[in-house]
Amino acid sequence: MIENLFLLGLAGAAIALLFAAVQAKKVLAFSEGTPKMQKLAQAIRQGANAYLKRQYSTVAKIFVVVFAILLVLVAVGMLDNWFIPFAFLTGGIYSGLAGFIGMKIATSANARTANAAHESLNRGLNVAFSSGAVMGFTVVGLGLLDVSIWFHILKYIAHFDAAKIAQTMVMFGMGASFMALFGRVGGGIFTKAADVGADLVGKVEAGIPEDDPRNPATIADNVGDNVGDVAGMGADLYESYVGSILATFALGAAAYAAENLIWNAMLLPLVIAVIGVVCSVFGSFLIRTKENATQKSLLATLRKGTYTAAVLAAVAAAPATYFIMGSWGPYIAILAGLVAGCAIGYFTEYYTSDTYKPTQNLSDSTRTGAATTIIGGISLGMLSTAAPIIIISIAIIVSFLAAGGSLNTADQAVYGAAFAKGLYGIGIAAVGMLSTLGITLATDAYGPVADNAGGIAEMSGLGEEVRKRTDALDSLGNTTAATGKGFAIGSAALTALALLVSYVDVVKTKMDHLPDLSITNPAVLVGLFVGAMLTFVFSAFTMSGVQRAAESIVIEVRRQFKEIAGIMEGKADPDYASCVDLCTKGALREMVLPSLLAIIVPVVVGLLLGVEAVVGLLGGVTVTGFVVAVFMSNAGGAWDNAKKYIEAGNHDGKGSDCHKAAVIGDTVGDPFKDTSGPSLNILIKLCSTVSIVFSGLITQIHLF
């Protein structure tokens, strides 16, 4: 009986995808504006499509290699079944598809948003948010579709039991994570190389406005917003969404086997996700604003939509949870996840929005130059890690205890029996945090559209009033993007913990003795150090990738300013295509090595030191990855909005010494918030799923 309710996943997918289709039709009904606006939008679309085609071609080759390795592991008995390699492929395909659809609508909405903003602020917000809704609901719709299809294949065609279904489905999270990491890293390097190159030469050296058509890198900058902040982000949050559901599947199968509630425990995260879809649809209808709205009122508008969706989800989840599980404990865990997500979002907003003191104080530091601006941003980012860590820690303890766990280790019999249920609570808390991802991601994904709209408005000469409106939407987008990243990294911490436990459970079944996982075990301790190191090495590779790619853009823009006569007078057109091509080549070249680290390092550590060292590695990369990701995302968001705050007329406005210092701060923050920071939440989960997939190899072959 209860197994039949898994069809609700398909119903939720249908609702989400139908709503996304309606929003897409709504966006496309708006005009793209003047012929010049249409020409610019077409150039951005072509650049984004060309990059994504080349990126997916590169990633496909790596997928084929990994797929072949997985087939070999199945053939020699180191993977459980033949479905796993194919699940890996579908996870990657769906993740890439989510990003592709989001990018297609974003590149169709940018000029339409600019043209709508020409009429009113509310119409501009309406178009941009609707395009973001396509992204948000496509991600959750495809996620629910993928999970539901695989469940029914494994249950009714392969006739697997619940535990084997859960274990197999965790594996396809590896494909989603793999694609997401390439998308985030490659897209992040592209967008920030173009952004940094455009800002350093255009704003700082030449003294021309942002998105000035005389800047050769301006089209590449706008292309980058789409391939990094939309396509990369879509793949990223698709992976976060399905990862939390699948990890909870596995934990539920382990925790409730004795009580004959395995199907119930696996059904609950799917039902909570469907409830979140419905509530997100309702919240989306509440997002509208008045003309001449302030940043504070724009934020309040988006908060109204997201918080309403969260409250409705919390209310609806109560009877559903009790009906499925027969107790209130898992519901409290879900509530803990929802509250934690909203709390992380609030504190992210506090530290990154220019309506609050931290970012305003950061803008004040520009009066004494770029150095103090950078110091202030770094200290702000470091300080901002405290609140999310405290929030996540409370959520972990509350959800663990509420679901039946115990912190009393004196009675090992009681502690052991309750431990698995407590871990299930942590997993379902992650699902609760991401349950309203449809609207949360919509508010995030609209930001790059607003940014592109501002660029098109500037290049098309639509006037100061339109640019003022698009700048207001863009500044809001910076804050909502930081909030979305806060949600993603918060859920990543909870999901990574759940996956770590799944790894321990898997290796225990494959070993003839219990592993020593105490911190006093030298292998565990070494693994902790390697995991902590991996966070920083990965960040270094992604940052240096941006640096090298940006240097090529700086040189190219300087060359064009020097060699193309009449470019500064507007009498000659820059060569936009050369900058797009340089960014594409740089991103594809630089994305491979950091992305492969997530696969290579856990396997190498396991082959050298065994499963205990891998457990330490996963713990080390989860903790440091979480902290560094929050630090980078918030510092970068604050630098960006400090610049926007000055451009709004504060501290002598655009072109002032304060503005130049803020631009340099924003330039440092660009790879922080859009490349390295958001990539880390994928890294910590991919390390876990890779470790689970290769656990059979590591338990049989290791040096020590």
Tab-separated table of all heavy atoms in Angstrom, residues 173-232:
chain	number	residue	atom	x	y	z
A	173	GLY	N	23.729	9.886	-7.482
A	173	GLY	CA	24.094	11.223	-7.030
A	173	GLY	C	25.501	11.603	-7.450
A	173	GLY	O	25.823	12.785	-7.617
A	174	MET	N	26.370	10.574	-7.650
A	174	MET	CA	27.734	10.844	-8.102
A	174	MET	C	27.733	11.482	-9.489
A	174	MET	O	28.496	12.418	-9.756
A	174	MET	CB	28.550	9.544	-8.117
A	174	MET	CG	29.957	9.700	-8.660
A	174	MET	SD	30.884	8.166	-8.590
A	174	MET	CE	32.121	8.411	-9.825
A	175	GLY	N	26.878	10.985	-10.389
A	175	GLY	CA	26.801	11.564	-11.729
A	175	GLY	C	26.342	13.009	-11.691
A	175	GLY	O	26.889	13.874	-12.391
A	176	ALA	N	25.318	13.284	-10.865
A	176	ALA	CA	24.818	14.652	-10.734
A	176	ALA	C	25.889	15.575	-10.163
A	176	ALA	O	26.085	16.698	-10.641
A	176	ALA	CB	23.572	14.666	-9.849
A	177	SER	N	26.593	15.097	-9.128
A	177	SER	CA	27.641	15.904	-8.500
A	177	SER	C	28.790	16.157	-9.471
A	177	SER	O	29.363	17.249	-9.522
A	177	SER	CB	28.170	15.208	-7.244
A	177	SER	OG	27.178	15.085	-6.259
A	178	PHE	N	29.141	15.134	-10.238
A	178	PHE	CA	30.237	15.228	-11.196
A	178	PHE	C	29.949	16.312	-12.240
A	178	PHE	O	30.767	17.193	-12.492
A	178	PHE	CB	30.422	13.867	-11.858
A	178	PHE	CG	31.790	13.641	-12.445
A	178	PHE	CD1	32.924	13.941	-11.722
A	178	PHE	CD2	31.946	13.104	-13.707
A	178	PHE	CE1	34.186	13.728	-12.257
A	178	PHE	CE2	33.197	12.888	-14.253
A	178	PHE	CZ	34.322	13.210	-13.529
A	179	MET	N	28.774	16.258	-12.840
A	179	MET	CA	28.383	17.254	-13.831
A	179	MET	C	28.289	18.643	-13.208
A	179	MET	O	28.726	19.642	-13.787
A	179	MET	CB	27.040	16.865	-14.452
A	179	MET	CG	26.472	17.909	-15.429
A	179	MET	SD	27.559	18.250	-16.848
A	179	MET	CE	27.206	16.808	-17.839
A	180	ALA	N	27.739	18.705	-11.999
A	180	ALA	CA	27.585	19.994	-11.320
A	180	ALA	C	28.933	20.649	-11.046
A	180	ALA	O	29.089	21.861	-11.197
A	180	ALA	CB	26.818	19.809	-10.013
A	181	LEU	N	29.911	19.835	-10.652
A	181	LEU	CA	31.222	20.400	-10.341
A	181	LEU	C	31.881	20.978	-11.588
A	181	LEU	O	32.428	22.085	-11.561
A	181	LEU	CB	32.122	19.332	-9.703
A	181	LEU	CG	33.438	19.849	-9.103
A	181	LEU	CD1	33.181	20.876	-8.018
A	181	LEU	CD2	34.271	18.703	-8.543
A	182	PHE	N	31.824	20.254	-12.688
A	182	PHE	CA	32.369	20.783	-13.931
A	182	PHE	C	31.633	22.057	-14.349
A	182	PHE	O	32.236	23.022	-14.812
A	182	PHE	CB	32.286	19.736	-15.049
A	182	PHE	CG	33.420	18.757	-15.047
A	182	PHE	CD1	33.229	17.467	-14.578
A	182	PHE	CD2	34.668	19.126	-15.498
A	182	PHE	CE1	34.275	16.556	-14.569
A	182	PHE	CE2	35.725	18.220	-15.487
A	182	PHE	CZ	35.526	16.937	-15.022
A	183	GLY	N	30.290	22.048	-14.192
A	183	GLY	CA	29.496	23.211	-14.563
A	183	GLY	C	29.831	24.423	-13.718
A	183	GLY	O	29.977	25.539	-14.225
A	184	ARG	N	29.948	24.222	-12.409
A	184	ARG	CA	30.257	25.324	-11.505
A	184	ARG	C	31.662	25.856	-11.721
A	184	ARG	O	31.866	27.063	-11.804
A	184	ARG	CB	30.098	24.863	-10.055
A	184	ARG	CG	28.883	25.265	-9.367
A	184	ARG	CD	28.567	26.720	-9.312
A	184	ARG	NE	27.472	27.048	-8.454
A	184	ARG	CZ	26.901	28.242	-8.367
A	184	ARG	NH1	27.360	29.224	-9.117
A	184	ARG	NH2	25.901	28.464	-7.552
A	185	VAL	N	32.631	24.948	-11.801
A	185	VAL	CA	34.023	25.375	-11.942
A	185	VAL	C	34.256	26.012	-13.308
A	185	VAL	O	34.793	27.121	-13.409
A	185	VAL	CB	34.985	24.184	-11.722
A	185	VAL	CG1	36.423	24.604	-12.047
A	185	VAL	CG2	34.905	23.695	-10.286
A	186	GLY	N	33.845	25.324	-14.376
A	186	GLY	CA	34.049	25.856	-15.720
A	186	GLY	C	33.295	27.155	-15.946
A	186	GLY	O	33.857	28.151	-16.427
A	187	GLY	N	32.006	27.157	-15.591
A	187	GLY	CA	31.207	28.371	-15.742
A	187	GLY	C	31.710	29.502	-14.862
A	187	GLY	O	31.717	30.672	-15.273
A	188	GLY	N	32.140	29.149	-13.637
A	188	GLY	CA	32.660	30.161	-12.719
A	188	GLY	C	33.935	30.802	-13.229
A	188	GLY	O	34.137	32.016	-13.098
A	189	ILE	N	34.827	30.001	-13.809
A	189	ILE	CA	36.074	30.537	-14.364
A	189	ILE	C	35.770	31.440	-15.563
A	189	ILE	O	36.345	32.524	-15.702
A	189	ILE	CB	37.031	29.391	-14.758
A	189	ILE	CG1	37.545	28.686	-13.498
A	189	ILE	CG2	38.215	29.922	-15.571
A	189	ILE	CD1	38.350	27.427	-13.771
A	190	PHE	N	34.864	31.014	-16.434
A	190	PHE	CA	34.490	31.820	-17.589
A	190	PHE	C	33.956	33.182	-17.157
A	190	PHE	O	34.450	34.231	-17.600
A	190	PHE	CB	33.431	31.074	-18.412
A	190	PHE	CG	33.044	31.781	-19.699
A	190	PHE	CD1	33.371	31.239	-20.905
A	190	PHE	CD2	32.336	32.963	-19.698
A	190	PHE	CE1	33.017	31.868	-22.100
A	190	PHE	CE2	31.980	33.594	-20.886
A	190	PHE	CZ	32.321	33.047	-22.085
A	191	THR	N	32.937	33.161	-16.298
A	191	THR	CA	32.263	34.413	-15.956
A	191	THR	C	33.170	35.368	-15.201
A	191	THR	O	33.143	36.579	-15.431
A	191	THR	CB	30.965	34.144	-15.174
A	191	THR	OG1	30.300	35.386	-14.913
A	191	THR	CG2	31.210	33.461	-13.839
A	192	LYS	N	33.989	34.842	-14.317
A	192	LYS	CA	34.829	35.734	-13.527
A	192	LYS	C	36.063	36.211	-14.283
A	192	LYS	O	36.553	37.312	-14.047
A	192	LYS	CB	35.234	35.067	-12.219
A	192	LYS	CG	34.048	34.825	-11.299
A	192	LYS	CD	33.289	36.133	-10.996
A	192	LYS	CE	31.988	36.253	-11.685
A	192	LYS	NZ	31.219	37.499	-11.385
A	193	ALA	N	36.558	35.414	-15.212
A	193	ALA	CA	37.654	35.884	-16.065
A	193	ALA	C	37.194	37.084	-16.883
A	193	ALA	O	37.885	38.106	-16.989
A	193	ALA	CB	38.130	34.755	-16.974
A	194	ALA	N	35.998	36.967	-17.473
A	194	ALA	CA	35.446	38.070	-18.268
A	194	ALA	C	35.148	39.277	-17.398
A	194	ALA	O	35.451	40.423	-17.773
A	194	ALA	CB	34.179	37.600	-18.979
A	195	ASP	N	34.549	39.041	-16.231
A	195	ASP	CA	34.163	40.123	-15.327
A	195	ASP	C	35.393	40.886	-14.829
A	195	ASP	O	35.431	42.122	-14.851
A	195	ASP	CB	33.383	39.541	-14.150
A	195	ASP	CG	32.534	40.604	-13.443
A	195	ASP	OD1	32.587	41.778	-13.849
A	195	ASP	OD2	31.809	40.257	-12.490
A	196	VAL	N	36.394	40.124	-14.376
A	196	VAL	CA	37.621	40.748	-13.865
A	196	VAL	C	38.326	41.527	-14.974
A	196	VAL	O	38.755	42.673	-14.780
A	196	VAL	CB	38.561	39.678	-13.263
A	196	VAL	CG1	39.951	40.274	-12.978
A	196	VAL	CG2	37.975	39.106	-11.984
A	197	GLY	N	38.455	40.912	-16.148
A	197	GLY	CA	39.110	41.588	-17.263
A	197	GLY	C	38.385	42.863	-17.669
A	197	GLY	O	39.015	43.909	-17.903
A	198	ALA	N	37.070	42.791	-17.744
A	198	ALA	CA	36.273	43.959	-18.125
A	198	ALA	C	36.400	45.079	-17.102
A	198	ALA	O	36.535	46.256	-17.448
A	198	ALA	CB	34.809	43.556	-18.295
A	199	ASP	N	36.353	44.732	-15.813
A	199	ASP	CA	36.401	45.745	-14.759
A	199	ASP	C	37.773	46.400	-14.638
A	199	ASP	O	37.889	47.628	-14.527
A	199	ASP	CB	36.016	45.122	-13.418
A	199	ASP	CG	34.513	44.919	-13.282
A	199	ASP	OD1	33.772	45.313	-14.206
A	199	ASP	OD2	34.072	44.369	-12.254
A	200	LEU	N	38.833	45.590	-14.656
A	200	LEU	CA	40.174	46.127	-14.434
A	200	LEU	C	40.584	47.099	-15.540
A	200	LEU	O	41.153	48.154	-15.277
A	200	LEU	CB	41.195	44.991	-14.321
A	200	LEU	CG	41.213	44.215	-13.005
A	200	LEU	CD1	42.275	43.127	-13.037
A	200	LEU	CD2	41.446	45.137	-11.818
A	201	VAL	N	40.298	46.738	-16.780
A	201	VAL	CA	40.715	47.598	-17.892
A	201	VAL	C	39.658	48.666	-18.175
A	201	VAL	O	39.982	49.835	-18.392
A	201	VAL	CB	40.987	46.772	-19.168
A	201	VAL	CG1	41.556	47.681	-20.265
A	201	VAL	CG2	41.965	45.652	-18.876
A	202	GLY	N	38.392	48.259	-18.184
A	202	GLY	CA	37.334	49.212	-18.523
A	202	GLY	C	37.100	50.245	-17.439
A	202	GLY	O	37.242	51.449	-17.659
A	203	LYS	N	36.719	49.792	-16.250
A	203	LYS	CA	36.375	50.709	-15.161
A	203	LYS	C	37.594	51.416	-14.573
A	203	LYS	O	37.620	52.642	-14.441
A	203	LYS	CB	35.649	49.948	-14.051
A	203	LYS	CG	34.214	49.589	-14.351
A	203	LYS	CD	33.586	48.974	-13.097
A	203	LYS	CE	32.175	48.566	-13.316
A	203	LYS	NZ	31.588	47.964	-12.075
A	204	VAL	N	38.599	50.627	-14.198
A	204	VAL	CA	39.728	51.186	-13.445
A	204	VAL	C	40.698	51.941	-14.354
A	204	VAL	O	41.077	53.078	-14.079
A	204	VAL	CB	40.468	50.076	-12.670
A	204	VAL	CG1	41.678	50.667	-11.937
A	204	VAL	CG2	39.537	49.413	-11.664
A	205	GLU	N	41.113	51.319	-15.471
A	205	GLU	CA	42.137	51.932	-16.326
A	205	GLU	C	41.541	52.950	-17.296
A	205	GLU	O	42.039	54.068	-17.418
A	205	GLU	CB	42.894	50.848	-17.097
A	205	GLU	CG	43.722	49.922	-16.204
A	205	GLU	CD	44.492	48.890	-16.998
A	205	GLU	OE1	44.510	48.980	-18.255
A	205	GLU	OE2	45.105	47.993	-16.377
A	206	ALA	N	40.480	52.571	-18.000
A	206	ALA	CA	39.903	53.460	-19.016
A	206	ALA	C	38.871	54.428	-18.451
A	206	ALA	O	38.532	55.430	-19.083
A	206	ALA	CB	39.281	52.625	-20.141
A	207	GLY	N	38.336	54.107	-17.272
A	207	GLY	CA	37.349	54.984	-16.641
A	207	GLY	C	36.009	55.037	-17.335
A	207	GLY	O	35.289	56.029	-17.244
A	208	ILE	N	35.641	53.939	-18.023
A	208	ILE	CA	34.347	53.908	-18.704
A	208	ILE	C	33.361	53.109	-17.863
A	208	ILE	O	33.760	52.282	-17.038
A	208	ILE	CB	34.458	53.304	-20.125
A	208	ILE	CG1	35.004	51.866	-20.080
A	208	ILE	CG2	35.333	54.186	-20.999
A	208	ILE	CD1	35.105	51.213	-21.455
A	209	PRO	N	32.055	53.315	-18.028
A	209	PRO	CA	31.078	52.647	-17.169
A	209	PRO	C	31.056	51.130	-17.356
A	209	PRO	O	31.575	50.601	-18.343
A	209	PRO	CB	29.738	53.254	-17.612
A	209	PRO	CG	30.088	54.485	-18.368
A	209	PRO	CD	31.428	54.258	-18.970
A	210	GLU	N	30.431	50.460	-16.399
A	210	GLU	CA	30.209	49.027	-16.532
A	210	GLU	C	29.288	48.757	-17.718
A	210	GLU	O	28.349	49.494	-17.976
A	210	GLU	CB	29.590	48.461	-15.246
A	210	GLU	CG	29.441	46.948	-15.247
A	210	GLU	CD	28.963	46.412	-13.902
A	210	GLU	OE1	28.634	47.224	-13.014
A	210	GLU	OE2	28.941	45.188	-13.722
A	211	ASP	N	29.600	47.688	-18.454
A	211	ASP	CA	28.807	47.275	-19.611
A	211	ASP	C	28.823	48.302	-20.745
A	211	ASP	O	27.926	48.329	-21.586
A	211	ASP	CB	27.353	46.976	-19.218
A	211	ASP	CG	27.240	45.843	-18.218
A	211	ASP	OD1	27.860	44.791	-18.440
A	211	ASP	OD2	26.540	46.012	-17.201
A	212	ASP	N	29.845	49.136	-20.773
A	212	ASP	CA	29.974	50.097	-21.869
A	212	ASP	C	30.248	49.330	-23.161
A	212	ASP	O	31.103	48.445	-23.201
A	212	ASP	CB	31.122	51.066	-21.578
A	212	ASP	CG	31.131	52.265	-22.509
A	212	ASP	OD1	31.345	52.072	-23.726
A	212	ASP	OD2	30.920	53.383	-22.028
A	213	PRO	N	29.531	49.637	-24.252
A	213	PRO	CA	29.724	48.886	-25.500
A	213	PRO	C	31.123	49.029	-26.088
A	213	PRO	O	31.512	48.233	-26.944
A	213	PRO	CB	28.667	49.473	-26.442
A	213	PRO	CG	28.298	50.798	-25.853
A	213	PRO	CD	28.463	50.649	-24.373
A	214	ARG	N	31.894	50.026	-25.638
A	214	ARG	CA	33.263	50.182	-26.105
A	214	ARG	C	34.211	49.145	-25.511
A	214	ARG	O	35.321	48.958	-26.006
A	214	ARG	CB	33.767	51.596	-25.777
A	214	ARG	CG	33.050	52.712	-26.533
A	214	ARG	CD	33.456	54.075	-26.016
A	214	ARG	NE	32.953	54.305	-24.658
A	214	ARG	CZ	33.203	55.409	-23.941
A	214	ARG	NH1	33.954	56.372	-24.470
A	214	ARG	NH2	32.710	55.544	-22.728
A	215	ASN	N	33.795	48.482	-24.444
A	215	ASN	CA	34.636	47.495	-23.767
A	215	ASN	C	34.545	46.157	-24.510
A	215	ASN	O	33.479	45.557	-24.578
A	215	ASN	CB	34.182	47.326	-22.315
A	215	ASN	CG	35.184	46.567	-21.460
A	215	ASN	OD1	35.878	45.671	-21.952
A	215	ASN	ND2	35.262	46.903	-20.190
A	216	PRO	N	35.649	45.637	-25.041
A	216	PRO	CA	35.597	44.382	-25.807
A	216	PRO	C	35.138	43.170	-24.994
A	216	PRO	O	34.680	42.175	-25.561
A	216	PRO	CB	37.049	44.194	-26.273
A	216	PRO	CG	37.646	45.568	-26.223
A	216	PRO	CD	36.987	46.260	-25.076
A	217	ALA	N	35.269	43.250	-23.654
A	217	ALA	CA	34.931	42.100	-22.807
A	217	ALA	C	33.491	42.123	-22.313
A	217	ALA	O	33.079	41.219	-21.583
A	217	ALA	CB	35.885	42.031	-21.606
A	218	THR	N	32.723	43.136	-22.701
A	218	THR	CA	31.392	43.288	-22.105
A	218	THR	C	30.441	42.172	-22.527
A	218	THR	O	29.628	41.702	-21.729
A	218	THR	CB	30.816	44.681	-22.438
A	218	THR	OG1	29.650	44.887	-21.670
A	218	THR	CG2	30.471	44.820	-23.919
A	219	ILE	N	30.509	41.717	-23.783
A	219	ILE	CA	29.650	40.603	-24.214
A	219	ILE	C	30.070	39.319	-23.497
A	219	ILE	O	29.217	38.538	-23.035
A	219	ILE	CB	29.698	40.409	-25.741
A	219	ILE	CG1	29.054	41.610	-26.449
A	219	ILE	CG2	28.989	39.117	-26.146
A	219	ILE	CD1	27.561	41.753	-26.206
A	220	ALA	N	31.378	39.070	-23.385
A	220	ALA	CA	31.870	37.896	-22.666
A	220	ALA	C	31.415	37.922	-21.204
A	220	ALA	O	31.062	36.882	-20.636
A	220	ALA	CB	33.399	37.834	-22.735
A	221	ASP	N	31.410	39.120	-20.604
A	221	ASP	CA	30.947	39.278	-19.221
A	221	ASP	C	29.485	38.862	-19.093
A	221	ASP	O	29.103	38.134	-18.174
A	221	ASP	CB	31.146	40.734	-18.788
A	221	ASP	CG	30.834	40.952	-17.304
A	221	ASP	OD1	30.652	39.966	-16.569
A	221	ASP	OD2	30.774	42.126	-16.886
A	222	ASN	N	28.664	39.308	-20.034
A	222	ASN	CA	27.246	38.963	-20.003
A	222	ASN	C	27.005	37.486	-20.333
A	222	ASN	O	26.101	36.859	-19.773
A	222	ASN	CB	26.466	39.858	-20.967
A	222	ASN	CG	26.240	41.255	-20.404
A	222	ASN	OD1	25.354	41.491	-19.609
A	222	ASN	ND2	27.076	42.203	-20.831
A	223	VAL	N	27.805	36.933	-21.231
A	223	VAL	CA	27.738	35.493	-21.502
A	223	VAL	C	28.069	34.717	-20.230
A	223	VAL	O	27.406	33.740	-19.872
A	223	VAL	CB	28.700	35.095	-22.642
A	223	VAL	CG1	28.819	33.566	-22.736
A	223	VAL	CG2	28.225	35.657	-23.968
A	224	GLY	N	29.104	35.169	-19.523
A	224	GLY	CA	29.545	34.500	-18.312
A	224	GLY	C	28.480	34.438	-17.229
A	224	GLY	O	28.378	33.458	-16.493
A	225	ASP	N	27.678	35.520	-17.131
A	225	ASP	CA	26.592	35.507	-16.145
A	225	ASP	C	25.669	34.308	-16.373
A	225	ASP	O	25.150	33.719	-15.416
A	225	ASP	CB	25.765	36.797	-16.245
A	225	ASP	CG	26.526	38.015	-15.746
A	225	ASP	OD1	27.451	37.846	-14.935
A	225	ASP	OD2	26.200	39.137	-16.182
A	226	ASN	N	25.481	33.933	-17.618
A	226	ASN	CA	24.560	32.851	-17.962
A	226	ASN	C	25.194	31.466	-17.816
A	226	ASN	O	24.565	30.550	-17.289
A	226	ASN	CB	24.041	33.034	-19.393
A	226	ASN	CG	23.152	34.259	-19.529
A	226	ASN	OD1	22.020	34.277	-19.078
A	226	ASN	ND2	23.680	35.311	-20.145
A	227	VAL	N	26.419	31.293	-18.244
A	227	VAL	CA	27.035	29.965	-18.178
A	227	VAL	C	27.498	29.621	-16.766
A	227	VAL	O	27.551	28.447	-16.392
A	227	VAL	CB	28.207	29.831	-19.170
A	227	VAL	CG1	27.732	30.075	-20.583
A	227	VAL	CG2	29.359	30.769	-18.832
A	228	GLY	N	27.816	30.636	-15.964
A	228	GLY	CA	28.267	30.378	-14.608
A	228	GLY	C	27.162	30.469	-13.580
A	228	GLY	O	26.872	29.512	-12.845
A	229	ASP	N	26.504	31.635	-13.535
A	229	ASP	CA	25.515	31.894	-12.492
A	229	ASP	C	24.156	31.274	-12.779
A	229	ASP	O	23.284	31.259	-11.905
A	229	ASP	CB	25.356	33.409	-12.290
A	229	ASP	CG	26.626	34.061	-11.795
A	229	ASP	OD1	27.466	33.341	-11.243
A	229	ASP	OD2	26.802	35.277	-11.979
A	230	VAL	N	23.931	30.794	-14.004
A	230	VAL	CA	22.654	30.139	-14.318
A	230	VAL	C	22.863	28.658	-14.598
A	230	VAL	O	22.395	27.799	-13.853
A	230	VAL	CB	21.948	30.824	-15.509
A	230	VAL	CG1	20.632	30.092	-15.826
A	230	VAL	CG2	21.651	32.280	-15.197
A	231	ALA	N	23.575	28.331	-15.687
A	231	ALA	CA	23.781	26.922	-16.041
A	231	ALA	C	24.544	26.177	-14.952
A	231	ALA	O	24.150	25.078	-14.533
A	231	ALA	CB	24.527	26.825	-17.372
A	232	GLY	N	25.640	26.759	-14.474
A	232	GLY	CA	26.423	26.122	-13.416
A	232	GLY	C	25.650	26.002	-12.122
A	232	GLY	O	25.681	24.973	-11.445
